[in-house]
Amino acid sequence: MVLRPHGGEKVRLMVVGRKRLPDAERHERHWGFVEAIADSAKDLEKGLRAQSYGTRTRGERTQPAARPAGEGVYAVTLEDGQMHLSFALELPAKPGEVQKAFRIAPEASYALSIKNPEKGKPVNAGLREEDEADYPRRLQEEFRGRRFAREDVRLLDFEGAEFILIGARSNPEAEYGLDLDTHDEDYQHAEVIRRLRMVKSRHPIKPLFEGRWA
């Protein structure tokens, strides 16, 4: 998923484990990490295109281009000392088969905690040490010796930052008094898709409106 702050240019490309968002109603817990940070959304688009690569046993392979499956608005808030990532979907207007498969709900909130890279990790879990975030001392101190930080969203502004998302609420606007300020959208005016330069010739949009699993 791509997060772009309102009124800002810096964007975060975040990878969520299990290839779907946590179920908010069941309070599922998923691990993830920040794959890329860019100064503008369009700088991420090249990495989302189709790519070909060679393998030893299977020859030339192709990784298909990323396809948009949802767009909306989000907010990162502090609720009783715990960061929460809340969002509301704008596109598609009504979630379909693809959105349900990826747990892209009409509205949801997740508790968001960021892992301390100096506190180790379970065996065979998480990123390799050389791929973990390398925080400057002033930000490393935000962990205060804890395994996770729960208060400072700036810790997500580094490639390799690892995090935990825990499903919290399915109606954050009512629960937390948020106004996520959604608008009726269509593909031609979808802000993030436009800023990412996700043209239909490179990034098929059927999953956004009428995706079906084969």
Side-chain angles (χ1 to χ4, degrees):
M1 62 183 177
V2 175
L3 297 185
R4 175 185 171 272
H6 179 68
E9 285 298 327
K10 181 177 287 188
V11 292
R12 309 175 182 100
L13 176 61
M14 302 165 69
V15 176
V16 180
R18 302 185 188 177
K19 300 182 180 180
R20 62 177 176 82
L21 291 171
D23 189 313
E25 295 285 354
R26 297 171 58 190
H27 308 300
E28 284 187 319
R29 175 192 299 254
H30 288 186
W31 169 87
F33 67 96
V34 178
E35 182 174 280
I37 300 288
D39 290 329
S40 66
K42 68 178 182 179
D43 291 337
L44 289 178
E45 189 270 334
K46 288 184 180 179
L48 300 176
R49 296 180 187 179
Q51 300 181 25
S52 296
Y53 57 94
T55 67
R56 290 183 179 180
T57 59
R58 305 180 69 183
E60 189 79 6
R61 306 292 293 175
T62 298
Q63 172 70 38
R67 293 164 289 175
E71 177 177 305
V73 294
Y74 77 94
V76 177
T77 60
L78 273 180
E79 309 294 339
D80 297 323
Q82 168 69 62
M83 272 192 300
H84 279 69
L85 171 64
S86 303
F87 80 89
L89 199 61
E90 292 180 320
L91 281 177
K94 183 178 180 180
E97 185 177 333
V98 168
Q99 289 72 40
K100 291 175 183 177
F102 287 116
R103 297 286 193 274
I104 304 174
E107 186 177 338
S109 181
Y110 312 98
L112 172 62
S113 299
I114 303 168
K115 178 184 172 294
N116 183 347
E118 295 186 356
K119 282 296 182 179
K121 60 187 178 184
V123 177
N124 298 322
L127 297 177
R128 299 178 302 175
E129 184 176 349
E130 59 267 31
D131 294 329
E132 293 178 330
D134 184 15
Y135 293 115
R137 179 52 51 187
R138 61 183 176 80
L139 278 179
Q140 182 62 41
E141 291 173 352
E142 292 294 318
F143 289 99
R144 303 198 296 277
R146 301 169 298 173
R147 291 188 62 205
F148 292 93
R150 300 174 175 86
E151 307 92 3
D152 197 333
V153 71
R154 294 178 301 168
L155 293 167
L156 287 178
D157 288 336
F158 292 82
E159 293 180 0
E162 296 178 89
F163 58 85
I164 298 291
L165 282 181
I166 303 175
R169 296 286 186 273
S170 58
N171 54 345
E173 290 189 283
E175 291 286 344
Y176 304 139
L178 298 178
D179 181 5
L180 292 172
D181 194 22
T182 56
H183 298 88
D184 292 334
E185 293 277 13
D186 57 29
Y187 177 80
Q188 286 74 19
H189 300 93
E191 182 178 8
V192 175
I193 291 173
R194 175 173 54 82
R195 288 180 179 273
L196 281 169
R197 304 291 197 272
M198 296 187 80
V199 297
K200 289 184 284 186
S201 60
R202 287 197 295 260
H203 304 278
I205 64 170
K206 278 191 174 184
L208 194 58
F209 299 107
E210 54 182 277
R212 296 289 185 273
W213 296 112

